[in-house]
C-alpha cells in the first residue's frame, strides 16, 4: 500500500507554466469520459495519453455522474470510487489519475439546513435546475455551514486518496460544483435571480466592509446614507433596471454594481476555500484546479455575465492553492471550415499568474449521431481538421488539453486514435522548445466594468465574444489579459481595451505614462472612462486623448469606414462596415477637431471611428465594439507589428511553432517576422529545408498547417 501520491506541480518551462509529474515535464494531454463502461482507456493508453480524469464526489453529485459518497452524517462509502478506478487501471495500468471531484450537498443535508440554501427572487429554494439535476435545492456558495461540512467531506476524500491502494497514481483534484459542474450559480441559464438567502446577504455585508471600511465611505459611493446591518441583496427589479440605456448609473446603481462584483468574488472565495483543503490534506502533493473565469463565453447568454458568477477571476488567480483552470473549448463557431478555436477565459492572465490552462476538447466527432450539435463534424477529414486546430491552439498557448469522450465512443476509430497518438508525440517533443508568446497585440478585459453593463448581452456579446472572432482572423497571434494585470504585462505594439468604464489609481497612471511611449497604439472601444465621470463623455477624453460627446438615445451602432486620409485606412476593403447586432446606448461620438475621422455612423453620419497621433503614441477610438479583422490588421501594421498572412486566417504561434488555417482562399502562404527553418509537422514529408521568410500553406479552409521552427 502506498502512503502518499506522486508529487505533481506546475513549473515554468520554455517560457510558460508546464505540468510536471514525478519530476518530469508532461505535455498535459489527457482523456476524460463520463461513461466508464464505454471509456476507451486502453485505446488512449496505446496512443501514449497517460493522464486520465473521471467523475467522482466526496458527498453528492448534482447530476448523478458519480454515486453518492456521503450517505449520512459521519457515514462515507468510497467503494464506487474504488470500482471506477479499478476499471480504469485494468485497461490503463500506468495512468496518472486526475479525478474530477464534485463538491455539493446531499439531499438530507439540504433538508437539515434549509436556511443555508440558495434562495431565489420569488422566495423559493426549489427550482427545476439545468441538465436533469438530481435535486431541486442547492447550498448557497456563501454558507459557512456548507463550506465547513462539504469541506470536511472533501478533506476525508483527499485523506482516503492519499492512502488507498492506488494513491501513487493520483496527481491532483479537479474541483467541480453547481450548475453544469462549472461553478455557475444554479439557475443562470434559466434566468433565475438569486441569491436572497441570509448567509449570502451576510457575506455581501462582510465584502462591503472590506471594500469600503466604514459606513461613511459606503454612503459616499452609494449616494445615500446606509448602515451595514441594513444592506440587502438588490431586488430582481433593481438588478434588471436600466438607468441609462445599456449602462448602469455608477451612482444610482452602485449597490447593484457592487453586488454583481461581489457575486463573482464570492464564488472565487468558495473555490479557494476548497482548494486550501486539498493542499492542506495532501501536504501540497496534489495539484488542484477548477472550471472558472468564462468571461468571454458568458457574453453569449443574456444573463451570463450578471448571473453566472464568473467575474471573480482576478481574485481566484491570487490564490496560491489553485494550480490550473479550465473550460470547454468555445461553443461558438466550431465548424471545420471557417470555424475557430478559443478558450472561454482570459488565458494570458492565467499564464501570467503561473497557472496552467486545460482546454476541454469536447467538439463532437463524426462518430456521433447527426443531431449531436456543438460543432459536430460530418466526416473523418473534418474531425482531423478540428482536432488539429484544437491541438495547435492549445500548443501555441502552452495549455494542456483533454479529449472529452463524454458519452463514450467519440474517438473509437483507428484513424482518429492514430491522429491523437501523432498529436501526443508532437506535444511531448515541444516540451524541449520555447513556447513563449510572440504576440504583438494585447487585448484587455475589465471584469468589474462588465458589472456596469445592464442585464442583457447587446453590449457584452459584440464587445467580448464577437470581438474575439474578429481577432481570431487577424492573421497574427494576440494575447488576452485582465486589465488589472496591465502594469505587469510586457510592452506590446498594440493594446486593445474592451471598454473599461473606470480607469483610476495605478491603472490611470500607467495608461497616461507607460502606454504613451515607444510608438505604441492604444485602441479604445465604446465607453472607456465614463464610469469615472458619471457617464459623461469627458471621461473618454481623459483616457483616450480623443474628445467625444454623448447622445442620449439607443441605436444599432454601425460604422462605415472611410479611412483613406490616414495610413491605418489605406488598403482597407471599400465599404467596410462593422458594429452591433442590437441597439445600444448611450452613444458616444467623436467631437475632436484634432482627431482624424476614419469612420461614421450609418445612418446619421456622426464621426464614430477616429485616430489621434501624439508625441510617441497613437490613440484610436471606436464608438462601436466588434472591430473587424481587417481594421485590426491595419492598426497592427501601422504600429510596426508583423502580420503573418495577407488576409483573414487563423494564426496560432509561439517562439517554436506556427499554425495557420486560412479563412480567405487567397491566403496561400505565411510570412515570418524573421527567417527560420520550418518543418511541416502534418505533411507526408517533413524534412527541414532552407531558412525562409515565407512558406506555402494549404490554401483550403478545411486544412490546418502546423510548422515547427527548427
Amino acid at each position: 500500500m502506498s502512503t502518499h501520491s506522486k508529487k505533481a506541480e506546475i513549473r515554468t518551462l520554455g517560457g510558460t507554466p508546464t505540468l510536471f509529474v514525478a519530476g518530469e515535464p508532461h505535455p498535459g494531454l489527457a482523456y476524460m469520459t463520463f461513461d466508464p463502461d464505454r471509456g476507451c482507456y486502453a485505446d488512449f493508453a496505446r496512443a501514449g495519453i497517460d493522464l486520465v480524469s473521471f467523475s467522482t464526489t466526496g458527498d453528492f453529485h448534482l447530476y448523478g455522474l458519480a454515486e453518492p459518497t456521503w450517505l449520512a452524517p459521519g457515514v462515507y462509502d468510497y467503494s464506487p470510487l474504488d470500482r471506477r478506478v479499478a476499471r480504469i487501471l485494468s485497461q490503463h495500468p500506468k495512468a496518472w489519475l486526475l479525478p474530477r471531484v464534485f463538491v455539493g450537498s446531499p439531499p438530507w443535508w439540504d433538508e437539515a439546513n434549509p436556511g443555508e440554501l440558495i434562495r431565489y427572487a420569488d422566495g423559493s429554494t426549489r427550482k427545476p435546475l439545468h441538465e436533469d439535476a438530481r435535486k431541486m435545492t442547492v447550498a448557497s456558495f456563501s454558507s459557512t455551514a456548507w463550506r465547513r461540512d462539504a469541506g470536511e467531506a472533501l478533506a476525508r476524500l483527499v485523506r482516503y486518496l492519499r492512502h488507498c491502494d492506488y494513491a501513487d497514481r493520483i496527481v491532483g483534484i479537479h474541483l467541480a460544483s453547481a450548475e453544469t459542474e462549472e461553478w455557475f450559480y444554479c439557475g443562470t441559464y434559466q434566468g433565475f435571480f438569486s441569491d436572497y438567502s441570509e448567509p449570502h446577504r451576510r457575506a455581501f455585508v462582510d465584502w462591503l466592509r472590506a471594500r469600503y471600511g466604514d459606513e461613511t465611505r459606503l454612503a459616499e459611493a452609494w449616494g445615500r446614507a446606509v448602515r451595514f446591518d441594513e444592506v440587502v441583496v438588490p431586488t430582481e427589479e433593481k438588478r434588471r433596471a436600466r438607468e441609462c440605456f445599456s449602462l448602469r448609473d455608477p451612482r444610482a446603481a452602485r449597490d447593484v454594481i457592487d453586488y454583481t462584483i461581489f457575486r463573482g468574488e464570492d464564488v472565487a472565495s468558495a473555490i479557494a476555500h476548497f482548494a486550501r483543503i486539498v493542499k492542506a490534506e495532501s501536504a501540497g502533493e496534489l495539484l488542484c484546479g477548477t472550471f472558472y473565469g468564462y468571461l468571454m463565453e458568458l457574453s453569449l447568454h443574456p444573463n451570463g455575465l450578471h448571473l453566472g458568477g464568473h467575474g471573480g477571476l482576478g481574485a481566484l488567480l491570487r490564490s496560491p492553492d489553485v494550480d490550473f483552470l479550465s473550460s470547454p473549448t468555445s461553443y461558438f463557431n466550431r465548424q471545420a471550415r471557417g470555424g475557430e478555436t478559443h478558450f472561454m477565459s482570459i488565458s494570458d492572465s492565467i499564464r501570467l499568474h503561473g497557472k496552467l490552462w486545460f482546454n476541454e476538447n469536447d467538439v463532437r466527432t463524426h462518430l456521433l449521431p447527426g443531431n449531436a450539435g456543438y460543432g459536430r463534424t460530418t466526416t473523418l477529414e473534418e474531425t482531423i481538421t478540428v482536432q488539429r486546430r484544437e491541438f495547435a491552439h492549445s500548443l501555441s498557448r502552452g495549455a494542456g488539453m483533454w479529449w472529452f469522450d463524454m458519452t463514450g465512443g467519440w474517438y473509437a476509430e483507428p484513424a482518429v486514435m492514430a491522429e491523437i497518438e501523432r498529436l501526443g508525440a508532437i506535444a511531448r517533443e515541444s516540451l524541449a522548445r520555447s513556447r513563449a508568446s510572440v504576440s504583438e497585440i494585447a487585448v484587455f478585459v475589465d471584469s468589474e466594468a462588465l458589472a456596469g453593463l445592464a442585464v442583457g448581452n447587446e453590449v457584452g456579446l459584440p464587445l467580448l465574444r464577437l470581438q474575439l472572432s474578429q481577432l481570431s482572423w487577424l492573421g497574427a497571434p494576440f494575447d488576452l489579459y485582465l486589465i488589472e494585470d496591465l502594469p505587469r504585462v510586457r510592452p506590446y505594439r498594440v493594446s486593445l481595451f474592451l471598454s473599461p468604464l473606470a480607469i483610476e489609481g495605478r491603472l490611470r497612471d500607467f495608461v497616461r505614462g507607460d502606454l504613451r511611449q515607444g510608438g505604441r497604439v492604444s485602441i479604445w472601444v465604446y465607453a472607456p472612462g465614463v464610469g469615472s465621470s458619471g457617464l459623461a463623455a469627458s471621461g473618454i477624453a481623459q483616457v483616450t486623448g480623443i474628445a467625444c460627446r454623448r447622445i442620449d438615445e439607443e441605436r444599432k451602432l454601425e460604422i462605415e469606414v472611410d479611412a483613406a486620409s490616414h495610413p491605418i485606412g489605406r488598403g482597407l476593403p471599400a465599404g467596410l462596415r462593422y458594429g452591433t447586432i442590437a441597439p445600444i446606448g448611450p452613444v458616444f461620438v467623436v467631437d475632436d477637431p484634432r482627431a482624424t475621422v476614419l469612420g461614421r455612423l450609418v445612418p446619421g453620419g456622426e464621426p464614430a471611428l477616429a485616430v489621434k497621433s501624439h508625441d510617441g503614441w497613437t490613440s484610436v477610438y471606436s464608438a462601436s465594439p466588434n472591430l473587424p479583422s481587417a481594421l485590426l490588421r491595419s492598426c497592427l501594421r501601422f504600429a510596426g507589428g508583423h502580420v503573418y498572412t495577407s488576409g483573414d486566417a487563423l494564426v496560432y504561434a509561439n517562439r517554436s511553432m506556427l499554425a495557420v488555417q486560412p479563412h480567405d482562399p487567397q491566403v496561400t502562404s505565411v510570412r515570418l517576422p524573421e527567417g527560420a527553418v520550418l518543418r511541416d509537422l502534418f505533411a507526408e514529408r517533413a524534412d527541414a529545408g532552407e531558412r525562409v521568410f515565407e512558406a506555402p500553406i494549404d490554401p483550403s479552409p478545411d486544412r490546418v498547417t502546423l510548422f515547427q521552427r527548427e
Side-chain angles (χ1 to χ4, degrees), residues 559-566 569 572-573 575-576 596-600 609:
I559 297 176
E560 183 169 19
V561 180
D562 181 14
S565 58
H566 192 276
L572 288 176
L576 179 65
T596 300
V597 176
L598 304 180
R600 296 178 179 273
L609 174 66

Side-chain angles (χ1 to χ4, degrees), residues 482-653:
L482 290 173
I483 196 170
E484 63 198 65
D485 288 326
L486 178 61
R488 299 180 55 188
V489 170
R490 65 174 172 84
Y492 286 77
R493 292 185 183 274
V494 175
S495 297
L496 171 60
F497 293 91
L498 300 183
S499 205
L501 297 181
I503 299 181
E504 298 170 341
R506 185 184 179 201
L507 280 181
R508 180 177 288 259
D509 294 341
F510 195 88
V511 166
R512 289 179 170 178
D514 293 46
L515 278 185
R516 296 183 176 184
Q517 56 183 302
R520 299 185 204 174
V521 173
S522 296
I523 306 173
W524 304 88
V525 176
Y526 181 49
V530 301
S532 305
S533 59
L535 300 186
S538 59
I540 297 177
Q542 291 171 16
V543 296
T544 70
I546 298 175
C548 295
R549 63 184 175 89
R550 173 175 145 177
I551 301 174
D552 283 326
E553 61 184 52
E554 217 169 24
R555 291 194 206 172
K556 179 182 176 182
L557 298 185
E558 185 173 17
I559 297 176
E560 183 169 19
V561 180
D562 181 14
S565 58
H566 192 276
I568 286 178
R570 293 167 195 162
L572 288 176
L576 179 65
R577 292 188 180 190
Y578 69 94
T580 63
I581 297 172
I584 67 173
V587 179
F588 297 94
V589 297
V590 177
D591 188 18
D592 191 331
R594 299 178 61 189
T596 300
V597 176
L598 304 180
R600 296 178 179 273
L601 288 176
V602 179
E606 297 94 340
L609 174 66
V611 59
K612 190 173 182 180
S613 294
H614 303 266
D615 184 18
W617 65 287
T618 298
S619 184
V620 177
Y621 168 73
S622 173
S624 176
N626 199 19
L627 279 69
S629 57
L631 179 58
L632 294 168
R633 247 189 322 271
S634 289
C635 289
L636 182 56
R637 289 191 180 113
F638 175 78
H642 180 77
V643 179
Y644 289 74
T645 61
S646 59
D648 282 2
L650 292 175
V651 172
Y652 305 133

Side-chain angles (χ1 to χ4, degrees), residues 12-39:
T12 297
L13 178 70
T16 196
T18 303
L19 174 64
F20 278 71
V21 179
E24 297 295 326
H26 191 284
L29 297 181
Y31 174 68
M32 167 70 186
T33 181
F34 281 157
D35 190 342
D37 294 330
R38 298 188 66 200

Side-chain angles (χ1 to χ4, degrees), residues 380-400:
L380 171 63
E381 290 72 22
E382 285 190 355
T383 293
I384 297 299
T385 292
V386 173
Q387 292 304 314
R388 287 178 174 181
R389 187 174 71 210
E390 289 293 324
F391 171 78
H393 181 243
S394 294
L395 188 69
S396 72
R397 294 189 177 276

Side-chain angles (χ1 to χ4, degrees), residues 130-344:
H130 191 60
E131 295 285 352
D132 299 320
R134 299 302 174 91
K135 60 190 179 86
M136 297 177 68
T137 55
V138 288
S140 171
F141 285 127
S142 307
S143 167
T144 56
W146 174 67
R147 292 190 187 193
R148 178 197 65 221
D149 294 349
E152 175 55 26
L154 176 63
R156 284 175 176 264
L157 176 63
V158 174
R159 290 196 292 270
Y160 181 79
L161 291 173
R162 293 275 289 160
H163 296 91
C164 63
D165 290 341
Y166 45 88
D168 59 346
R169 307 314 303 171
I170 305 288
V171 297
I173 298 289
H174 180 175
L175 295 171
S177 188
E179 190 156 286
T180 63
E181 299 191 300
E182 295 165 289
W183 295 94
F184 301 135
Y185 281 86
C186 287
T188 292
Y189 290 113
Q190 301 97 315
F192 300 151
F193 279 66
S194 66
D195 176 4
Y196 293 90
S197 67
E198 180 59 18
H200 193 66
R201 188 198 72 83
R202 289 196 302 266
F204 182 36
V205 170
D206 290 343
W207 183 87
L208 290 171
R209 290 182 190 274
R211 188 174 181 91
Y212 291 107
D214 57 51
E215 291 171 346
T216 300
R217 292 184 59 198
L218 178 65
E220 290 174 356
W222 285 17
R224 65 181 189 274
V226 58
R227 297 178 58 85
F228 283 123
D229 58 8
E230 296 172 346
V231 168
V232 296
V233 173
T235 64
E236 177 178 348
E237 181 182 24
K238 188 163 189 180
R239 289 162 67 182
R240 288 186 180 275
R242 290 172 173 255
E243 301 85 18
C244 191
F245 304 106
S246 303
L247 298 179
R248 303 307 305 258
D249 188 312
R251 186 79 167 176
R254 188 69 238 181
D255 57 339
V256 178
I257 295 170
D258 278 345
Y259 172 69
T260 305
I261 296 169
F262 154 75
R263 187 176 173 86
E265 293 193 3
D266 197 46
V267 178
S269 170
I271 295 171
H273 166 77
F274 293 115
R276 280 193 298 274
I277 291 171
V278 171
K279 290 297 185 180
E281 294 296 337
S282 68
E285 290 284 321
L286 295 182
L287 292 176
C288 187
T290 191
F291 292 117
Y292 195 67
Y294 298 12
L295 293 178
M296 306 305 288
E297 195 77 3
L298 283 173
S299 66
L300 290 167
H301 194 281
N303 303 310
L305 293 172
H306 294 82
L307 301 190
H310 275 229
L313 178 60
L316 191 61
L317 291 180
R318 293 190 288 273
S319 168
D321 302 310
V322 174
D323 300 299
F324 67 86
L325 289 97
S326 59
S327 79
T329 189
S330 176
Y331 286 106
F332 186 76
N333 201 23
R334 284 181 165 191
Q335 68 268 21
R337 176 184 285 257
E340 61 201 62
T341 292
H342 290 294
F343 305 145
M344 294 184 179

